[in-house]
Amino acid sequence: MILIWMSLSPPGSVLLQQTDGDRQTPLDLVSALSQREELLRSAQAGDSARTNKDKTEVLNLPLLEAGSSLLAHLIFSYQKERGLPGLTQSGNRPHTLVYKLAAALEKHSLQKVTSDWTDQRAVRLAEDVETLLRLSRGEHKEQVSAAAKECRGENTVFLMEALENLQANGKALVADFW
């Protein structure tokens, strides 16, 4: 019962609507009135938590700022250490390795593109290009909370700008080969 209660907390009443193979809901499977009431209260708490999730209040600004600083510096250090070659090179960019990888990854999955590769550095480069392509499509935005997006702390603003720059680099990469 505790496992069901813990599962109900985030999603709420959505889980109470699920059915098993016999088309029974969780409430159908609980016979004790007190347990049914507990399930309903837990579902309501989950619904309330999901409704309040959209609030943009930062509950621990120092923690958000510290995490933002660490993540932004990690992104920049990674770019500096193993940045994607070709993004800043002039000349015939669509024929560089990064652009060829990007074009292949737009058409095929990473697993298909790299399935026979033995050079792990090349695989990591393909993973980096795939990440950049995902950033260009804005797939990261749903993972960033509204509180972080709206926070005006110096480190958090820096992180949001870093993510926007990565997204712009990804869009530029895609635009060059289309």
Side-chain angles (χ1 to χ4, degrees):
M1 185 54 62
I2 292 173
L3 181 60
I4 292 173
W5 180 82
M6 288 171 48
S7 298
L8 286 175
S9 294
S13 60
V14 173
L15 283 182
L16 292 181
Q17 298 167 6
Q18 303 298 313
T19 58
D20 65 8
D22 296 327
R23 315 259 316 137
Q24 291 185 317
T25 68
L27 289 174
D28 296 332
L29 300 173
V30 177
S31 57
L33 182 60
S34 63
Q35 290 177 336
R36 290 174 65 86
E37 290 173 352
E38 182 181 351
L39 277 174
L40 288 170
R41 277 193 308 274
S42 297
Q44 289 171 342
D47 290 342
S48 176
R50 191 174 54 226
T51 301
N52 293 335
K53 184 179 92 172
D54 297 334
K55 289 186 177 180
T56 60
E57 178 182 349
V58 175
L59 299 177
N60 191 340
L61 182 61
L63 181 63
L64 178 60
E65 281 290 286
S68 295
S69 176
L70 288 171
L71 185 53
H73 283 89
L74 180 66
I75 290 168
F76 283 111
S77 295
Y78 187 84
Q79 283 181 311
K80 184 177 179 185
E81 182 66 28
R82 293 193 21 229
L84 295 175
L87 291 178
T88 58
Q89 295 174 357
S90 59
N92 202 357
R93 294 189 334 176
H95 297 291
T96 65
L97 177 61
V98 171
Y99 287 89
K100 289 178 182 178
L101 276 173
L105 290 168
E106 280 288 294
K107 294 178 184 173
H108 307 286
S109 71
L110 175 69
Q111 291 77 22
K112 185 172 183 177
V113 171
T114 62
S115 64
D116 295 330
W117 294 8
T118 56
D119 185 345
Q120 289 305 305
R121 291 177 304 164
V123 172
R124 284 192 305 271
L125 177 62
E127 290 169 346
D128 290 344
V129 171
E130 181 188 47
T131 299
L132 197 56
L133 291 173
R134 295 174 112 196
L135 286 166
S136 75
R137 294 188 288 266
E139 292 180 20
H140 63 288
K141 289 185 176 185
E142 62 216 24
Q143 297 176 10
V144 179
S145 72
K149 289 176 189 174
E150 295 175 12
C151 180
R152 293 294 134 225
E154 182 178 333
N155 294 320
T156 306
V157 169
F158 182 63
L159 173 62
M160 294 301 114
E161 288 173 2
L163 291 173
E164 290 300 318
N165 288 338
L166 285 173
Q167 184 175 6
N169 287 344
K171 285 181 179 180
L173 177 67
V174 172
D176 279 346
F177 68 81
W178 290 121

